Amino acid sequence: MPNLINKVYDRISFEDYEQTIKDNGAIFLGEGASRKGYKYKKSVIKIPHNEWGFQDNIIEAYAYNLYGRKPDENGYIFAPCKLLNNGCLLMVLVDRRPYKELPSWANYIDGGQCGIYNGRWVVYDSACDIRPLRFESTKWANVAECPNY
């Protein structure tokens, strides 16, 4: 179980952390509906910019904690990651590949967000696809579930 400092989404806390990593050389990769991604050394840091992003980080960390290097019941192999004590997600940097190269199971991942890490196909953004884990993941992280998630 992670030892989270933030038990709920706190915009100011995440904005401060975002500025800190940028000051330390993190490179902005992009942003989705609920999180921003930064490359830092050989990793990606996912910073939530709303409550859903906070929950997404928890779900992805929980899925990797639950399955590790083994596929889940759908055949998904999750990119190695860990939940930081502030609720951000630290994930390995994967080699993103063109959509036409993706394995068939990646068709079931939102946007085919899969890549290669250590010679294996892994999912690097799966929160939308594994939302059934939300109840277990919030208990695991000892946080309240986000309403309307």
Side-chain angles (χ1 to χ4, degrees), residues 126-142:
S126 59
C128 291
D129 308 292
I130 57 174
R131 287 237 167 99
L133 294 177
R134 71 185 177 273
F135 299 114
E136 296 168 44
S137 67
T138 54
K139 288 179 187 170
W140 171 75
N142 193 28

Side-chain angles (χ1 to χ4, degrees), residues 113-134:
Q113 297 180 95
C114 302
I116 296 177
Y117 176 73
N118 281 350
R120 300 177 72 188
W121 283 98
V122 295
V123 182
Y124 64 82
D125 189 350
S126 59
C128 291
D129 308 292
I130 57 174
R131 287 237 167 99
L133 294 177
R134 71 185 177 273

Side-chain angles (χ1 to χ4, degrees), residues 28-92:
F28 181 70
L29 293 173
E31 157 176 20
S34 59
R35 299 182 288 186
K36 295 178 183 178
Y38 284 86
K39 179 182 175 188
Y40 185 70
K41 298 181 181 177
K42 294 184 180 182
S43 299
V44 171
I45 299 173
K46 296 182 181 184
I47 301 176
H49 58 79
N50 57 38
E51 179 69 32
W52 285 27
F54 183 69
Q55 296 282 328
D56 286 352
N57 283 351
I58 292 168
I59 289 175
E60 288 183 5
Y62 176 72
Y64 181 71
N65 184 269
L66 183 64
Y67 296 104
R69 295 176 47 98
K70 298 176 184 165
D72 75 353
E73 61 277 357
N74 296 309
Y76 306 158
I77 299 171
F78 300 99
C81 62
K82 76 176 190 173
L83 194 62
L84 301 177
N85 67 359
N86 65 0
C88 291
L89 189 70
L90 180 68
M91 182 177 279
V92 299

Side-chain angles (χ1 to χ4, degrees), residues 4-15:
L4 291 176
I5 294 168
N6 297 335
K7 299 290 185 180
V8 294
Y9 174 74
D10 176 12
R11 181 180 58 81
I12 300 299
S13 171
F14 291 115
E15 287 175 354

